[in-house]
Amino acid sequence: MMHPIIGELVHEEFWVLFLNNSNKMISKSQPSKGGMTGTIVDVCLVLKLALKMALQA
């Protein structure tokens, strides 16, 4: 599912996939993009996105 997006990148990206109870993808988000060796992820931002998705369901 993500290979076409991140398969051949030369830098790091952090993606969050939001799934329903049947493990079907509801949405995806890219909260962080970094350099060649890593990226920094803000956990508060990821939790905020998850809560927003949960409230919309």
Side-chain angles (χ1 to χ4, degrees):
M1 178 181 312
M2 295 299 292
H3 190 269
I5 298 171
I6 62 173
E8 301 297 325
L9 293 177
V10 296
H11 61 276
E12 295 286 325
E13 291 185 1
F14 184 85
W15 285 82
V16 179
L17 302 178
F18 299 100
L19 309 175
N20 66 11
N21 289 339
S22 301
N23 289 331
K24 305 257 192 241
M25 188 173 66
I26 300 168
S27 179
K28 61 185 172 204
S29 177
Q30 179 192 27
S32 177
K33 186 187 296 189
M36 292 179 62
T37 59
T39 186
I40 306 267
V41 179
D42 184 357
V43 176
C44 292
L45 178 62
V46 173
L47 291 175
K48 182 179 177 181
L49 290 169
L51 287 172
K52 185 177 178 182
M53 289 303 299
L55 292 175
Q56 289 178 358

